[in-house]
Amino acid sequence: MKVYLVGAGPGDPGLITVKGLECIKKADVIIYDYLVSEDLLKEARPEAEIIYVGKQGSRHTLEQEEINQLLVEKAKEGKVVARLKGGDPYVFGRGGEEALYLVEKGIPFEEVPGITAAIAAPAYAGIPVTHRTYTSTLGMITGHEDPTKGGSALPWDKLATAVGTLIVYMGVKNLPYLVGELIKNGRPKDTPVAVIRWGTTIGQETVVGTLEDIVEKAKGLEPPAITVVGEVVRLRDKLNWFENRPLFGRTIVVTRARDQASDFARELEELGARVIEFPTIQIIDPEDFGPMDRAIKELDTFHWLVFTSVNGVESFFKRLFHLGGDARWLRGVKVCAIGPATAREVRRYSIKVDCQPSKYVAEEVLEELKRQEPAGLKGNRILMPRADIARSFLPEELQKLGAEVVELVAYRTVLAEAFSQKIPGSRKETLLEKLKKGEVDVVTFTSSSTVRNFVELVGKENLATLDGKVCFASIGPITTRTAQGLGLKITIEAKEYTIPGLVKAVKEGLGVRSSGV
Ligand code: SAH
């Protein structure tokens, strides 16, 4: 038994320490606060008990005394407890109180420091908290005082001018009072001030002003926010890397199947976007494995194995392994992959890709196969493990050239119950509301079936109400055609028909819009 007091960092889940993450992974019980990123909880063991004890402003789920007792109680059950706190546990986090209580009760504990909001939020807002040219002194205080009580606990006469950079936790509600005290006690009125809300998260908001006008400018800004007072705030003009990322502040819907959404979502998030996963399709097994099993058992009779999707590759090999085979069963069969992602998936099974067209559509696969077989495709046996709803173009054209094509249903794409546990906002009704309110910038489509199912899930009758409120982006011309057939106007289309190509097109498409061209 042991209690780890773990600093979870300021908000961006990537800012936890390696040691902190290890604690989450091994804990039997996780007890966490309001400001802890819930993404981190996904790292917990599936059987771990997860308890929320958050205090949000004055609304307490559990009182501090109860939290202390809970820690002791769980530890005494012989459990490994990770007590997760926002930022650093010992910086305005009552970690010290919890540690003392544990010592008093004879419970072994360790403290794992975290990155505190006063350092990280300014960093993500483009403000280094010290800089040789501006200041070599730094102070961190709490602004959580009750100004009506009379008699401040803080020595404002000293604090106002003691340090170059003064950072105030929990001070937004008291901003007028704080600013008043600083000015009254000698800090120049034109001292730059930044208030950063939800720092290091995709929801980060920064307001910059001076002691004189920040109260007016930050009006309506709700906690949690941190206030930075000092000349270093000026550096934001040059160093604002986080909020200047191309997709910062944009909300983008990803309609791919859940299993495939993560790479795409990560690329968008890296550019600063807020991603809503709204899986419209679900990949399931074929109804009948018979034809696939027969083809796999006579693989050596085929000349070509043609993959037109990552899912096709995955389903094919899963079945091959299921039947007791391995890579050797592909001996003598040449492999073609439609695009780079499909090729990468093939190589994961230690299979070389013999043929990959430069453009990622069926028409180009045909051309490339013709090039590969200068003597003609006549008599070639070609195996194509595909989706149940794949286009018939390629097999038909190959047959016209005298090839013998065996098409297999390797997987089926069905309408997903578009329900993400991860993000409550991705439920169908909520998404539609967000779309109607213009809160979504782009909905992305990565295949014709994502378009069809999106229309079905959102409701054809609702499409007209979305006109002009949201952009629709497509991975390529085939998907675009499907969308247009269903009455969706595609304004962004990838030039290269891949996920990176689509990301690039979205970036460029939105850039154009925001500059008003
Ligand atoms: N232990 C925490 C601080 C807890 S006090 C730490 O080390 O960061 C809670 C206050 O921290 C909030 O009122 C706010 O002032 C600040 N804070 C925490 N997370 C923040 C964030 N992501 N952005 C801005 N301020 C934050």
Side-chain angles (χ1 to χ4, degrees):
M1 76 170 172
K2 192 172 230 172
V3 176
Y4 293 91
L5 295 174
V6 178
D12 175 347
L15 291 179
I16 192 168
T17 62
V18 173
K19 191 164 179 185
L21 190 59
E22 274 167 12
C23 291
I24 295 179
K25 285 184 174 160
K26 72 180 171 199
D28 301 308
V29 184
I30 294 178
I31 300 176
Y32 76 103
D33 279 352
Y34 169 54
L35 289 171
V36 170
S37 161
E38 298 208 344
D39 272 354
L40 289 170
L41 303 174
K42 284 190 278 191
E43 303 292 333
R45 291 165 43 208
E47 64 276 20
E49 185 184 359
I50 297 181
I51 307 171
Y52 175 68
V53 295
K55 290 175 266 188
Q56 185 179 353
S58 51
R59 275 186 288 137
H60 294 213
T61 313
L62 280 188
E63 292 302 330
Q64 188 61 46
E65 181 63 22
E66 294 174 298
I67 296 175
N68 293 350
Q69 281 163 8
L70 184 65
L71 294 176
V72 170
E73 186 189 310
K74 292 295 173 187
K76 281 197 167 153
E77 286 171 18
K79 306 232 166 98
V80 172
V81 181
R83 167 70 175 121
L84 274 186
K85 299 172 82 75
D88 182 281
Y90 283 176
V91 180
F92 300 122
R94 307 186 79 161
E97 290 166 50
E98 291 177 15
L100 283 170
Y101 191 86
L102 292 170
V103 171
E104 201 179 292
K105 300 290 170 190
I107 308 288
F109 86 101
E110 284 186 28
E111 201 267 353
V112 183
I115 304 184
T116 190
I119 310 292
Y124 273 48
I127 304 168
V129 292
T130 74
H131 182 286
R132 281 199 300 165
T133 316
Y134 295 94
T135 180
S136 342
T137 52
L138 166 66
M140 305 198 299
I141 64 171
T142 169
H144 188 61
E145 278 199 305
D146 188 349
T148 59
K149 272 196 184 145
S152 169
L154 296 175
W156 288 108
D157 53 333
K158 301 198 180 75
L159 277 175
T161 50
V163 289
T165 306
L166 187 64
I167 302 182
V168 190
Y169 289 83
M170 297 172 275
V172 253
K173 288 261 182 273
N174 272 345
L175 199 59
Y177 165 71
L178 295 169
V179 164
E181 290 296 320
L182 290 174
I183 294 176
K184 201 161 72 191
N185 288 287
R187 195 83 189 222
K189 282 185 183 160
D190 60 356
T191 309
V193 182
V195 183
I196 306 150
R197 178 168 194 250
W198 281 121
T200 78
T201 72
I202 39 171
Q204 175 170 311
E205 272 176 75
T206 308
V207 179
V208 177
T210 61
L211 280 180
E212 197 163 26
D213 63 15
I214 193 70
V215 170
E216 185 56 36
K217 284 188 166 168
K219 216 173 218 161
L221 206 72
E222 295 284 322
I226 204 124
T227 306
V228 188
V229 179
E231 296 299 318
V232 286
V233 170
R234 299 188 193 284
L235 289 163
R236 172 176 160 85
D237 285 345
K238 290 201 178 122
L239 301 182
N240 187 13
W241 62 275
F242 184 71
E243 293 167 29
N244 282 343
R245 289 171 308 160
L247 296 180
F248 183 76
R250 303 296 198 160
T251 300
I252 298 178
V253 172
V254 168
T255 56
R256 300 193 99 182
R258 191 183 310 286
D259 316 350
Q260 299 178 303
S262 62
D263 282 355
F264 186 24
R266 208 174 311 122
E267 281 193 47
L268 293 168
E269 277 165 352
E270 219 153 86
L271 294 170
R274 180 196 301 269
V275 174
I276 299 179
E277 283 184 33
F278 186 76
T280 55
I281 55 180
Q282 217 170 322
I283 307 295
I284 60 169
D285 282 342
E287 261 164 11
D288 177 12
F289 275 115
M292 180 137 87
D293 289 358
R294 276 193 295 281
I296 288 175
K297 282 182 187 149
E298 51 176 47
L299 259 183
D300 54 358
T301 66
F302 287 94
H303 298 86
W304 281 98
L305 178 55
V306 177
F307 290 112
T308 50
S309 69
V310 171
N311 285 319
V313 180
E314 213 174 288
S315 320
F316 176 83
F317 281 101
K318 202 167 115 196
R319 198 63 196 170
L320 186 139
F321 296 143
H322 175 84
L323 295 175
D326 64 16
R328 288 171 295 182
W329 285 21
L330 266 86
R331 203 185 142 93
V333 187
K334 280 181 279 190
V335 176
C336 172
I338 192 165
T342 308
R344 205 174 313 125
E345 187 65 19
V346 170
R347 285 192 290 266
R348 270 190 41 205
Y349 299 94
S350 304
I351 305 292
K352 200 178 110 207
V353 174
D354 302 285
C355 157
Q356 190 188 325
S358 54
K359 270 196 146 190
Y360 319 133
V361 286
E363 286 73 1
E364 291 296 321
V365 174
L366 181 68
E367 290 310 312
E368 189 57 35
L369 281 173
K370 280 202 266 184
R371 254 193 298 278
Q372 295 276 333
E373 299 286 350
L377 282 157
K378 197 170 164 48
N380 269 236
R381 269 170 69 77
I382 300 178
L383 183 61
M384 297 184 60
R386 321 211 289 161
D388 52 338
I389 48 165
R391 292 172 65 209
S392 55
F393 171 83
L394 189 55
E396 279 172 13
E397 292 301 311
L398 286 167
Q399 266 153 7
K400 277 188 208 158
L401 296 170
E404 188 192 331
V405 181
V406 176
E407 264 188 285
L408 293 176
V409 175
Y411 63 95
R412 286 178 296 157
T413 53
V414 295
L415 188 69
E417 292 173 35
F419 226 98
S420 163
Q421 279 115 14
K422 193 176 126 197
I423 309 162
S426 64
R427 280 187 45 221
K428 171 183 165 184
E429 291 79 5
T430 348
L431 181 69
L432 185 58
E433 277 161 29
K434 279 183 194 293
L435 289 166
K436 282 184 176 167
K437 282 196 236 151
E439 289 175 10
V440 172
D441 294 280
V442 188
V443 177
T444 57
F445 297 115
T446 44
S447 66
S448 289
S449 47
T450 60
V451 181
R452 275 187 227 107
N453 291 357
F454 175 83
V455 171
E456 179 134 336
L457 287 167
V458 167
K460 213 172 163 69
E461 66 285 3
N462 291 314
L463 294 182
T465 59
L466 305 182
D467 241 15
K469 291 190 179 140
V470 55
C471 291
F472 294 104
S474 144
I475 197 164
I478 309 286
T479 304
T480 301
R481 211 174 307 143
T482 307
Q484 274 155 357
L486 289 166
L488 279 185
K489 195 166 151 242
I490 298 288
T491 50
I492 297 173
E493 185 185 279
K495 288 194 189 75
E496 189 187 312
Y497 317 143
T498 60
I499 292 297
L502 181 55
V503 171
K504 197 164 163 229
V506 167
K507 202 168 82 178
E508 288 168 1
L510 286 180
V512 167
R513 204 191 61 170
S514 66
S515 63
V517 180

